[in-house]
Amino acid sequence: MEHTKEPWQYLTTHEGRCVVVIDATGRDLFQTLGYSDRSKFMPLANARRIVACVNACAGLSDAVVSHGLVPASRHSTVAHQRDQTLAALESILAVFEYQKEPEKIAAVQQARAAIASAKDQLS
């Protein structure tokens, strides 16, 4: 049996207490529900994680995913590439940090924002 094609998305309703997960055509796949104030934001967190996992595994067979081969292969490669790219960007930024030309100032600001975003996601 095939699962619904990616990408999946989620939409919130009822102040975040209900989250609808949809496919690329906008068709409802399922809903997550919260039943108390304490679990108000849990449906959103659950839907966000489900959608991220499904989309990250796009193109992989169900057999590969169900046998747990994804973390060892795909995740470590992507993490290594991210770390290399971040290090290279930080090195380039060190060279251009104090440039005065407007186009270089804009590039430095963009590099700082990208580095901050990547480091924020690591923590």
Side-chain angles (χ1 to χ4, degrees):
M1 176 183 284
E2 291 287 321
H3 64 79
T4 305
K5 286 297 209 191
E6 305 84 3
W8 291 12
Q9 299 175 5
Y10 59 89
L11 308 169
T12 60
T13 62
H14 300 94
E15 297 177 358
R17 290 181 190 263
C18 177
V19 182
V20 181
V21 175
I22 61 173
D23 67 8
T25 67
R27 186 182 60 174
D28 289 5
L29 300 175
F30 61 88
Q31 297 178 3
T32 63
L33 303 171
Y35 297 102
S36 69
D37 286 337
R38 195 177 73 192
S39 65
K40 180 178 178 181
F41 300 106
M42 200 174 293
L44 178 59
N46 290 341
R48 186 179 293 139
R49 185 169 181 92
I50 290 166
V51 168
C53 290
V54 168
N55 290 339
C57 292
L60 299 175
S61 72
D62 289 343
V64 167
V65 173
S66 65
H67 291 305
L69 301 177
V70 175
S73 60
R74 185 172 269 192
H75 177 73
S76 61
T77 300
V78 171
H80 179 69
Q81 290 171 337
R82 177 208 57 221
D83 294 344
Q84 284 183 317
T85 303
L86 185 56
L89 185 56
E90 287 175 324
S91 294
I92 292 168
L93 182 60
V95 172
F96 288 96
E97 186 74 39
Y98 301 104
Q99 297 295 316
K100 301 291 185 211
E101 293 87 7
E103 67 277 0
K104 291 181 182 172
I105 292 171
V108 165
Q109 291 170 340
Q110 185 179 11
R112 280 189 194 133
I115 290 168
S117 176
K119 288 186 173 182
D120 183 50
Q121 297 214 353
L122 291 174
S123 57

